[in-house]
Amino acid sequence: MVSLREQLMKAGLADQKKARRVDQDKSKQKKLERRTGVQSVDETRLAALEAQQKNREQARELNAKRDAEARKKAIVAQILQMVQQSRQSKGKGDIAYNFTFGKKIERIYVSAAVRDQLAAGQLAIVRLDDTTELVPRVVADKIAERDPSLVVRVKQTEAQAVEDDPYADYKVPDDLMW
């Protein structure tokens, strides 16, 4: 294999004098570095190393974003599968049942038996996109672990009641019609 110096000399782009001068400059630089203990800074090498480091960081960030998106898609798929497998019937839909989702009051039509199950806390409401589904409480808890914003809690547990509630003596029935 022919060195770059020899290739440049054959092409006529460099001559023996320039080659010797470059060798002398290199050896002087090395001697100076050995004497002083200070190495010369190769700016192009440092720039290349910085560019490599920057590229690695960008690749890491991109991979992290890609992994996060894949996890989100997997969670959404799990939630959809759980809802489809454990969906409960709403009944004939002759009674309007009101619930709050976010800051809005929503309404679904259910049978009397389903309304009683919702009031007792046996069923929970899950809101996916624009559809409202009823699922058992156990499945709703699993969905809430993955994404709590999708589950509507119809009956709150007693442990969540405020201790200094001035209206604690006045219980409001869960099946109160609005």
Side-chain angles (χ1 to χ4, degrees), residues 42-126:
D42 188 8
E43 294 175 4
T44 56
R45 184 170 181 239
L46 288 177
L49 289 174
E50 288 177 13
Q52 283 180 343
Q53 183 67 22
K54 187 176 178 182
N55 287 341
R56 278 190 219 124
E57 290 175 9
Q58 287 177 348
R60 242 183 257 126
E61 290 174 4
L62 220 77
N63 287 339
K65 287 180 184 178
R66 195 175 304 131
D67 290 346
E69 289 175 9
R71 273 188 246 113
K72 286 180 185 178
K73 285 182 182 180
I75 288 172
V76 169
Q78 288 174 356
I79 291 172
L80 286 173
Q81 183 180 13
M82 283 191 277
V83 169
Q84 289 173 352
Q85 289 178 349
S86 60
R87 185 180 328 189
Q88 300 292 316
S89 173
K90 296 176 186 171
K92 292 181 181 179
D94 52 351
I95 298 174
Y97 187 84
N98 298 316
F99 63 95
T100 57
F101 184 73
K103 294 184 179 181
K104 293 184 179 180
I105 296 177
E106 303 284 336
R107 175 179 293 161
I108 58 172
Y109 291 94
V110 295
S111 66
V114 172
R115 184 196 65 200
D116 293 340
Q117 287 178 340
L118 282 168
Q122 296 170 349
L123 290 178
I125 300 171
V126 176

